[in-house]
Every structure is written in structure tokens, then in C-alpha cells.
Amino acid sequence: MTTFLIDLSPGDMKRRLGDALGIYVDAMRYPRGTEDQRASMWLEHIRRRGWTAVAAVEVPDHAVDDPDAPPLAAAPMLGVAYGYCGAPDQWWQQQVVQGLERGGADRAEIAELTNDYFELTEVHIHPRAQGRGLGEALVRRLLAGRTEPQVLLSTPEVDEEANRAWRLYRRLGFTDVIRGYHFAGDPRPFAILGRDLPL
Ligand SMILES: CC(C)(COP(=O)(O)OP(=O)(O)OC[C@H]1O[C@@H](n2cnc3c(N)ncnc32)[C@H](O)[C@@H]1OP(=O)(O)O)[C@@H](O)C(=O)NCCC(=O)NCCS
């Protein structure tokens, strides 16, 4: 099998939504059925300004140079990542602003962090394809050429930052924006991380 990284157009994402959500649920080890709750949200995100998505797909070696092979956008998916420009009417930004306020940040600091950023919303690699650099490759592709001065993301807190997501973000130079934050309606603590762009 040969692995390719591809850009997903809005149409590709709509067509492949079931596969992308399947990877998300398997990667996060969420119960089956979670994808049904998430589908409308992922579709709504496609309409947000600056929405960009990438995927890792795999193709049998014999099909790589076959002109009659199906397009890469239809090939089996190993991973998916997407994001969009942050904006004040987005729930996530409102939560982050609240967290910054609670942490004592002043207006100018909050504005500097939230006025112009790319939100790295999702990055997931199927468990069978994790640990070979695909997550990093997807994040690099997604962030390449972004015009925003920074990127922000949230990730669940984990003891000692000991999981692949944390290792990836630290390796890519993400630093703490807020730690131990509780998003409304979620009992788990999250970290908000960020870094300047370009990567
Ligand atoms: C987090 C996640 C996206 C990272 O993707 P990944 O492809 O597994 O990991 P990376 O791209 O960081 O790969 C690096 C790992 O591959 C290994 N690797 C092997 N070959 C490699 C190569 N050619 N280049 C880079 N890394 C390579 C590295 O040693 C490293 O191992 P380590 O994580 O044990 O230190 C993925 O593990 C995942 O989907 N996890 C579950 C869902 C999740 O947590 N999503 C993020 C929520 S915020």
C-alpha cells in the first residue's frame, strides 16, 4: 500500500463524512454512534471562513500508476484533519475568551490571542496507522500557507502529557495558552495550546 496526503474540498468532505467520522470515533475511542451526533457539526464547520481539510489515504501499490484507478479523494482513508478561522460568534472562541478572562488576561492580551487565528479543530489518525508520522504530516499540510499569525487548538489533559497528541503538539512547538480548562458541558479538563505561524 502507498499512503498519500490529499486536500479535501467541501464536496469531498461531505461525500467522505462517514469515513472521516469513523476515523475520529476509532481514534478517540468514543462509543459507536458518536459520529451521528457529530455529523451536523462537522457539516456546519465546512461553511466557516477559511475552512480547510486534509486527509491521508492509501492506495494498493498496483493502482498507484493506474489511470483507471478511482481518484485519490475516493481512496480508503487513514486520517483526517481540518480547521478554520476563529471568529467571535463561535462557541469555542467564546469559551477560550472566558478561560482567558478567568485566568486574569486583560483585554489587549485577549484581543491579541483571538483577533486572528486558525483553529486546528480536528486531527485524527486511525489506530492502525498511528505512530508513523502521519498526524504530523497532516498538521503540516493543513497549516502550510495559512495567512493567520497563529494557530490555536484544544486537547484533553493527560497525566504527564503522555499521549501521541501531546507529543505531536509539543514537538511542533505548541505552548500553553490555558491549562485545565472546563468547556461548558464537558467534565474533562482541556488544555488550549497555540503557536505562531508559519510553522
Ligand atoms: C494524535 C494523532 C493525530 C497523532 O498522529 P500520529 O500519526 O499517530 O503521530 P505523529 O504524526 O505524531 O507520529 C509520530 C510518531 O510516529 C513515529 N514515527 C515513525 N515514523 C515516523 C516518521 N517518518 N516521521 C515522524 N514520526 C514517525 C514517531 O516515533 C512518533 O512516535 P511517538 O508518538 O510514539 O513519539 C494520532 O495519534 C491520533 O489520532 N490519536 C488519537 C486521537 C487524538 O488524540 N487526536 C487529537 C485530539 S486533540
Side-chain angles (χ1 to χ4, degrees):
M1 290 292 208
T2 304
T3 303
F4 290 92
L5 303 186
I6 60 168
D7 298 328
L8 293 178
S9 69
D12 292 333
M13 183 60 117
K14 286 177 195 162
R15 270 188 297 279
R16 303 298 307 270
L17 190 66
D19 296 330
L21 284 165
I23 286 170
Y24 158 75
V25 166
D26 287 343
M28 296 298 281
R29 303 193 186 283
Y30 286 153
R32 279 276 150 203
T34 309
E35 54 273 59
D36 302 336
Q37 299 158 13
R38 287 289 170 148
S40 58
M41 190 186 291
W42 283 40
L43 286 174
E44 188 268 318
H45 288 169
I46 295 174
R47 297 201 300 271
R48 295 188 174 185
R49 189 168 64 85
W51 179 90
T52 314
V54 294
V57 296
E58 67 179 358
V59 174
D61 292 333
H62 66 80
V64 170
D65 293 319
D66 179 351
D68 297 324
L72 285 179
M77 212 182 258
L78 297 176
V80 63
Y82 76 81
Y84 43 75
C85 304
D89 63 348
Q90 293 167 4
W91 177 85
W92 192 86
Q93 178 174 124
Q94 292 159 4
Q95 293 283 307
V96 170
V97 168
Q98 261 186 38
L100 290 167
E101 284 169 349
R102 278 187 212 145
D106 65 27
R107 274 177 165 224
E109 289 165 332
I110 293 174
E112 195 178 320
L113 266 167
T114 59
N115 269 357
D116 189 11
Y117 67 91
F118 181 74
E119 181 192 325
L120 173 51
T121 313
E122 306 286 353
V123 51
H124 306 288
I125 302 293
H126 192 276
R128 80 179 163 85
Q130 289 175 10
R132 44 187 240 218
L134 284 178
E136 177 173 340
L138 281 189
V139 172
R140 287 188 179 282
R141 187 178 179 102
L142 189 66
L143 297 180
R146 293 304 313 182
T147 54
E148 297 83 2
Q150 56 195 337
V151 50
L152 297 178
L153 62 84
S154 52
T155 193
E157 294 278 4
V158 172
D159 273 353
E160 313 276 331
E161 303 185 359
N163 73 5
R164 282 230 155 87
W166 275 95
R167 287 198 293 276
L168 170 63
Y169 302 142
R170 291 307 197 199
R171 195 166 65 245
L172 291 177
F174 281 82
T175 57
D176 295 349
V177 176
I178 308 176
R179 295 298 301 263
Y181 186 65
H182 286 273
F183 285 96
D186 194 329
R188 298 169 300 168
F190 279 78
I192 317 296
L193 305 178
R195 65 152 288 156
D196 291 344
L197 290 174
L199 200 60

